């Protein structure tokens, strides 16, 4: 035993000597001479970034990368262990580690994310860790929870405790029938800044909403959905609201729109609103837009659900709201000069369409489900019927002042010449048109003299009396027409469903245009059932000239 003790003493002595040897060297690099306050700020930023970008709340057996700062050297470890804020970004791990994190954070406010979906096998370690975290609800500042039935007993009952520091609450439940406590936060709702509820059967009256800056309600169970009048009463108290997301959260507003209350309703001011999403029946969308003053800077996304028995199913009222907003004074209106691109995506069978209005030229985005920001001031998803899709889309577009739009893209464009005549007459400064997929629509209107008008009264045919007899070429500034995966009607054949035209018809229309030179590009296009071809041409000077044509092997 004496020999072992001597050996241990010798090893410890060598370690001490080695540490003394490296200490002066470690003190030389600048990174080891940073003040403690700066090191703390760096460590906190590392933990915060991981929490926001990488921590999905799932249980983990490995500590996140930011914990490694406590293992670099004695000095860094001393700084890390004495900075309580670093350890407030709690991650779900073993019960022992969870206790250690809570102890190191001392009494600082906690940021918690918990994600336990229904395919997670319930484990004692996970259950104990979640319980330990939720026992500190009084210290939690940010709580983001995504749980299923096996874990709801560790989370929902704990919400009956006091939570005086809680500012952000985000809860997603896989089962909307899960039972909530009868009294949230001991009957004293915290002054939340952010409230995000998905599939939650809890009433808004359970929370204090005066300080809210973000309210997000998704897929609220039917019996807990508010009617529009109740919601507007609640919204009138949210003076600081910046983000409002309502998706399947409100009931139909057909009764409210026909009531005396609606006719005398005093609009609610939301001066700080920057993002508004409404996914609701068309009547509810109309009611919200009619009853709330929306700032011009607000990015708006509408997902309108048709109501066959509703008098507003034809979108006429919605269009009139856009007209009113665009005709207001410059300080309050959505200026037409901010819209330079229009992107129309038609879904198969003309069942629905997405219209995106952008302030940047050729700003087309195929990821329609991703989050949108102020770079997209307006996006509208609408239900369509096969018979009036053309009219609904053109009515929405033509209800807005789009005289500065330069770029237009249409995906799956099955539209008639009448649609194009109206749209191109409205988009007067269009320079670029891109068509993708489906059959080639009849764009012979590009070569026809058409009667259009400036702003003013129109007769039943849509023409102003002052413009009668004046010829104008539609899209006079058109510089480029891009076609991709477009199918033309075969010459002398009508097997393809209308509307569709032949390639020769399109080339004839472009070659006879009176206007500036332009370029036609066809990529992976086809004639009937033939193989795809690529082709490039230019028009102008009363003709059209081939640049390249893979179908005819021409260069």
């Amino acid at each position: 035993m004496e020999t072992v003790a001597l050996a241990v003493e010798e090893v410890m002595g060598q370690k001490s000597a080695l540490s003394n040897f490296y200490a002066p060297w470690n003190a030389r690099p600048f990174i080891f001479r940073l003040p403690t306050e700066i090191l703390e700020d760096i460590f906190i930023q590392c933990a915060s970034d991981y929490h926001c970008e990488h921590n999905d709340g799932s249980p983990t057996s490995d500590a996140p990368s930011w914990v490694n700062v406590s293992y670099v050297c004695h000095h860094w470890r001393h700084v890390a262990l004495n900075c309580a804020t670093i350890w407030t970004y709690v991650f779900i791990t073993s019960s022992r580690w969870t206790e250690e994190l809570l102890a190191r954070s001392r009494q600082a406010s906690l940021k918690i994310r918990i994600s336990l979906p229904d395919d997670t096998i319930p484990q004692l370690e996970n259950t104990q860790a979640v319980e330990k975290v939720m026992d500190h609800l009084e210290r939690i500042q940010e709580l983001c929870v995504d749980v299923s039935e096996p874990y709801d007993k560790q989370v929902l009952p704990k919400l009956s405790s006091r939570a005086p520091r809680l500012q952000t609450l985000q809860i997603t439940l896989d089962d909307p029938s899960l039972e909530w406590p009868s009294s949230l936060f001991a009957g004293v709702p915290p002054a939340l800044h952010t409230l995000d509820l998905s599939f939650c059967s809890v009433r808004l009256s359970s929370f204090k909403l005066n300080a809210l800056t973000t309210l997000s309600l998704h897929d609220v169970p039917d019996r807990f959905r508010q009617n529009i009048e109740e919601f507007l009463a609640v919204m009138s108290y949210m003076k600081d609201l910046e983000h409002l997301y309502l998706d399947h959260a409100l009931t139909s507003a057909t009764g409210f729109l026909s009531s005396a209350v609606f006719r005398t309703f005093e609009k609610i001011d939301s001066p700080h609103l920057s993002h508004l999403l409404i996914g609701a029946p068309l009547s509810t969308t109309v009611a919200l837009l009619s009853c709330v003053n929306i700032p011009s800077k607000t990015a708006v996304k509408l997902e309108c659900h048709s109501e066959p028995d509703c008098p507003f199913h034809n979108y006429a009222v919605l269009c009139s709201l856009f007209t009113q907003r665009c005709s207001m004074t410059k300080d309050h209106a959505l200026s037409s000069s901010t819209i330079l691109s229009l992107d129309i995506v038609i879904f198969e069978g003309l069942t629905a369409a997405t219209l995106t209005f952008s302030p940047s030229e050729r700003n087309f985005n195929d990821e329609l489900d991703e989050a949108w920001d102020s770079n997209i001031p307006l996006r509208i998803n609408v239900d369509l019927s096969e018979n009036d899709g053309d009219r609904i889309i053109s009515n929405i577009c033509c209800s807005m002042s789009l005289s500065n739009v330069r770029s237009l893209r249409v995906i799956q464009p099955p539209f008639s010449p009448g649609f194009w005549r109206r749209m191109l007459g409205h988009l007067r400064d269009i320079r670029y048109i891109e068509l993708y997929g489906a059959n080639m629509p009849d764009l012979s209107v590009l070569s026809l003299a058409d009667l259009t008008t400036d702003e003013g009264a129109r007769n039943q045919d849509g023409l102003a009396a002052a413009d009668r007899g004046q010829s104008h070429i539609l899209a006079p500034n058109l510089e480029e027409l891009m076609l991709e995966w477009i199918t033309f009607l075969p010459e002398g054949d009508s097997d393809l469903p209308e509307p569709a035209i032949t390639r020769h018809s399109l080339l004839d229309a472009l070659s006879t245009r009176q206007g500036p030179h332009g370029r036609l590009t066809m990529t992976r296009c086809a004639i009937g059932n033939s193989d795809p071809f690529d082709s490039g041409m230019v028009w102008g000077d009363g003709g059209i000239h081939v640049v390249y044509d893979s179908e005819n092997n021409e260069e």
Side-chain angles (χ1 to χ4, degrees), residues 7 24 42 86 168 200 231 341 364 367 416 418 449 453 482-483 530 534:
I42 294 173
I86 303 176
T168 298
C200 291
F231 179 78
S341 292
F364 306 133
E367 302 297 330
S416 64
T453 180
M482 177 77 70
L483 309 178
S530 66
D534 297 337

Side-chain angles (χ1 to χ4, degrees), residues 502-521:
T502 65
R503 184 165 66 155
H504 285 106
S505 299
L506 176 63
L507 299 183
D508 288 344
L510 294 175
S511 64
T512 56
R513 276 178 58 81
Q514 298 176 7
H517 290 73
R519 180 179 181 85
L520 169 65
T521 302

Side-chain angles (χ1 to χ4, degrees), residues 29-331:
F30 176 75
I31 189 66
F32 292 102
R33 291 185 282 116
L34 287 174
T36 298
E37 295 80 5
I38 294 180
L39 276 178
E40 288 180 345
D41 288 344
I42 294 173
F43 295 167
I44 292 171
Q45 190 63 52
C46 289
S48 175
D49 289 348
Y50 182 92
H51 178 78
C52 295
E53 298 176 10
H54 304 289
N55 179 21
D56 63 0
S58 301
T60 178
S61 57
D62 300 322
S65 57
W66 62 264
V67 175
N68 292 333
V69 301
S70 65
Y71 300 131
V72 174
C73 65
H74 287 296
H75 177 53
W76 280 30
R77 182 168 181 81
H78 176 76
V79 172
L81 294 182
N82 285 278
C83 180
T85 305
I86 303 176
W87 308 102
T88 60
Y89 296 94
V90 178
F91 51 93
I92 301 301
T93 180
S94 67
S95 177
R96 184 187 67 82
W97 241 113
T98 301
E99 285 185 352
E100 183 67 22
L101 289 170
L102 294 171
R104 291 182 183 182
S105 63
R106 301 185 182 94
Q107 290 302 312
S109 298
L110 302 174
K111 294 88 177 175
I112 310 294
R113 292 192 177 189
I114 302 172
S115 179
L116 298 168
D118 55 6
D119 57 357
T120 300
I121 300 175
Q123 298 177 0
L124 182 60
E125 279 288 308
N126 294 343
T127 302
Q128 291 177 341
V130 171
E131 286 182 337
K132 290 181 184 298
V133 168
M134 294 302 298
D135 282 339
H136 288 75
L137 186 63
E138 286 196 1
R139 291 174 52 199
I140 294 179
Q141 176 181 325
E142 174 187 314
L143 179 60
C144 301
V145 179
D146 183 352
V147 296
S148 57
E149 190 172 0
Y151 292 95
D152 67 302
K153 293 181 180 179
Q154 280 74 48
V155 176
L156 292 185
K158 300 290 185 179
L159 297 181
S160 61
S161 303
R162 292 181 67 253
R165 304 187 196 179
L166 191 62
Q167 296 181 4
T168 298
L169 180 61
Q170 177 181 330
I171 297 183
T172 300
L173 301 178
D174 288 345
D175 183 359
S177 65
L178 294 178
E179 185 175 351
W180 288 67
S182 56
S183 177
L184 289 176
F185 312 117
V188 185
L192 293 171
H193 292 168
T194 299
L195 179 61
D196 186 340
L197 302 176
S198 298
F199 298 99
C200 291
S201 53
V202 60
R203 298 187 184 281
L204 286 181
S205 56
S206 303
F207 304 96
K208 185 178 180 181
L209 305 175
N210 296 38
L212 270 191
T213 58
T214 298
L215 175 60
S216 180
L217 303 175
H218 295 267
D219 298 295
V220 178
D222 289 346
R223 67 189 184 93
F224 287 92
R225 293 184 185 181
Q226 286 188 305
N227 63 50
I228 187 64
E229 192 172 349
E230 293 173 336
F231 179 78
L232 289 172
V234 172
M235 188 176 174
S236 64
Y237 292 100
M238 295 184 279
K239 301 298 185 182
D240 298 324
L241 197 63
E242 298 176 6
H243 301 84
L244 177 59
Y245 310 117
L246 303 171
D247 188 16
H248 293 84
L250 302 176
T251 61
S252 172
T254 53
F256 175 72
L257 289 176
S258 58
S259 69
V261 175
F262 174 69
R263 291 192 294 271
T264 59
F265 193 89
E266 184 175 348
K267 280 194 171 186
I268 297 172
D269 287 324
S270 292
H272 306 294
L273 195 63
S274 63
H275 286 75
L276 172 64
L277 180 149
I278 306 174
L282 181 57
S283 61
T284 307
T285 304
V286 168
L288 273 169
L289 294 178
S290 301
C291 296
V292 179
N293 285 323
I294 302 171
S296 60
K297 62 179 176 61
T298 306
V300 179
K301 183 176 181 181
L302 307 178
E303 298 180 355
C304 306
H305 310 149
S306 295
E307 298 175 276
D309 298 329
C310 172
F312 308 100
H313 73 278
N314 60 5
Y315 293 87
V317 177
L318 185 64
C319 294
S320 68
L321 288 172
F322 291 142
T323 302
Q324 292 172 20
R325 189 181 184 203
C326 293
S327 62
M328 292 169 64
T329 62
K330 184 177 180 180
D331 292 338

